[in-house]
Amino acid sequence: MPLFHPVKESDVTRAIVSNFLRQFEEYAESDVIIVGGGPSGLIAGKELAKAGLKVALIERNNYLGGGFWIGGYFMNKFTLREPSQEVLDELGVPYEKATAGLYVADAPHACASLIAAACNAGLKIFNLTLLEDIILHENDRMAGVVVNWSPIIHMPKELTALDPVPMESRVVIDATGHDAVVLKKLEKRQLIQLAGEGALWIDKSEDAVVEHTGEAYPGLVVTGMAVGAVYGLPRMGPTFGAMLLSGKRAAEVTLGIVKKAAIP
Ligand code: 48F
C-alpha cells in the first residue's frame, strides 16, 4: 500500500498554473504594491496586510530577504540597536547583548521568521518579478508598476522582446535598497532629483533613515536604504534596526494615504 494518495501528473501542472493565475489576476489591482523583498519591504508588507489591506510584494530574485540573510562580510550574524530589538521580540527571534544598546542575532532565523510573519499576515509574494517601469496617471501620481519575468535580463536579445505587464495600486512602496530602482524611474523623467547615498556613519544614518521614511512623490512611499538615495543620507552597514523601524513607519504613512484617499 503506497504512503501517498495517487494523482495524475497533469493535475500537478493544472494546480500550479490555475492557482498562480488566479492570484495574479486578483492582484493585478491592489491597495499597495511593494517593490523589493528585503527587511524594510517585508516589515511594511506584514504591517499593511495585518491592517487588512490588499498588498502585493514583487521581488526580482527567486528568494525573499534581500540583505537580511547575512550580516557583515560573509558572516550570518547581524546587529541592531536599541530600541529596534523589540521587533525581534515581536517575531520571537532570540538575540544577545553585545555592548550597551547593541544586540546581535542570527540572520537566517530573523529573516525566515520575518518572511513567515509577512505571509501569515496575508502578504502576497510575486518572486522572479522585475520592476521594469512605473505607471503615472494625471497629476503625475504613481498608479502602479510595470513588471516582467526577471530571468529575461540574462537572456539573449533576440529572445527578450517580451512586453512587460502593468499592475495597478493606490500606493507603491520603493523598498529596493541601495539601488532605489523605483525612484530612479522618476529621476530619469526629471520628476525628482536624488541626492545619492552618503558614506557610512552608523550613529547618524539610522535615525535619519527612519525620520525621512515617507511619501517621496505622490503615491510613492520610500523605505529602507532607498531613503538614503533620495536625501543623501549616510549608509549604515550591517546594522538592521533602521530597516525594521523604517518598514513600520512606511506602513503607517501608507495607511494614512490610503485612508485619506477613501474619504469622499
Ligand atoms: O537590499 P535590501 O535588503 O533592501 P532594504 O530593505 O535593506 C537594506 C539592508 O539589506 C542592507 C543595509 C542596511 O543594514 O545596508 O543593505 O533597504 O532588499 C532590496 C530588495 O529589492 C529587490 C532586491 O532583489 C532585494 O531583494 N530589488 C531590487 N531591484 C529590483 C528588486 C527590481 N528592479 N525589481 C524587483 N525587485
Side-chain angles (χ1 to χ4, degrees), residues 12-203:
V12 172
T13 307
R14 282 189 199 103
I16 291 170
V17 173
S18 62
N19 196 284
F20 178 79
L21 290 183
R22 208 181 322 123
Q23 179 177 297
F24 204 3
E25 198 178 353
E26 193 185 336
Y27 281 79
E29 194 173 358
S30 312
D31 293 319
V32 183
I33 294 172
I34 300 170
V35 187
S40 63
L42 286 168
I43 285 273
K46 170 174 100 64
E47 297 296 321
L48 289 165
K50 206 168 76 185
L53 264 52
K54 184 176 173 187
V55 193
L57 184 149
I58 66 164
E59 166 56 55
R60 70 178 167 191
N61 291 332
N62 190 28
Y63 61 91
L64 294 169
F68 203 33
W69 289 110
I70 201 115
Y73 206 40
F74 61 86
M75 291 169 275
N76 62 7
K77 301 284 180 188
F78 71 96
T79 60
L80 74 177
R81 292 191 294 154
E82 214 162 318
S84 55
Q85 82 283 0
E86 287 168 9
V87 181
L88 296 192
D89 292 333
E90 283 170 24
L91 294 169
V93 175
Y95 50 84
E96 282 173 29
K97 188 170 177 178
T99 59
L102 181 71
Y103 300 90
V104 62
D106 191 61
H109 193 163
C111 195
S113 301
L114 176 54
I115 294 168
C119 292
N120 289 339
L123 177 69
K124 287 289 176 282
I125 312 291
F126 295 85
N127 50 355
L128 284 180
T129 301
L130 182 78
L131 175 111
E132 263 202 16
D133 212 340
I134 53 176
I135 307 174
L136 283 179
H137 279 177
E138 71 268 15
N139 307 327
D140 285 338
R141 189 182 170 78
M142 286 279 297
V145 296
V146 184
V147 300
N148 216 329
W149 186 52
S150 55
I152 64 154
I153 52 172
H154 303 293
M155 286 160 69
K157 264 217 155 1
E158 50 286 15
L159 290 179
T160 56
L162 286 185
D163 250 330
V165 290
M167 294 173 82
E168 286 187 80
S169 64
R170 289 198 261 175
V171 180
V172 174
I173 300 183
D174 189 344
T176 58
H178 301 276
D179 294 344
V181 176
V182 188
L183 292 155
K184 282 186 183 151
K185 300 293 173 194
L186 291 167
E187 190 184 40
K188 191 177 89 178
R189 295 177 171 96
Q190 279 120 41
L191 292 168
I192 54 168
Q193 211 179 348
L194 301 180
E197 187 179 87
L200 191 144
W201 185 0
I202 291 177
D203 266 350

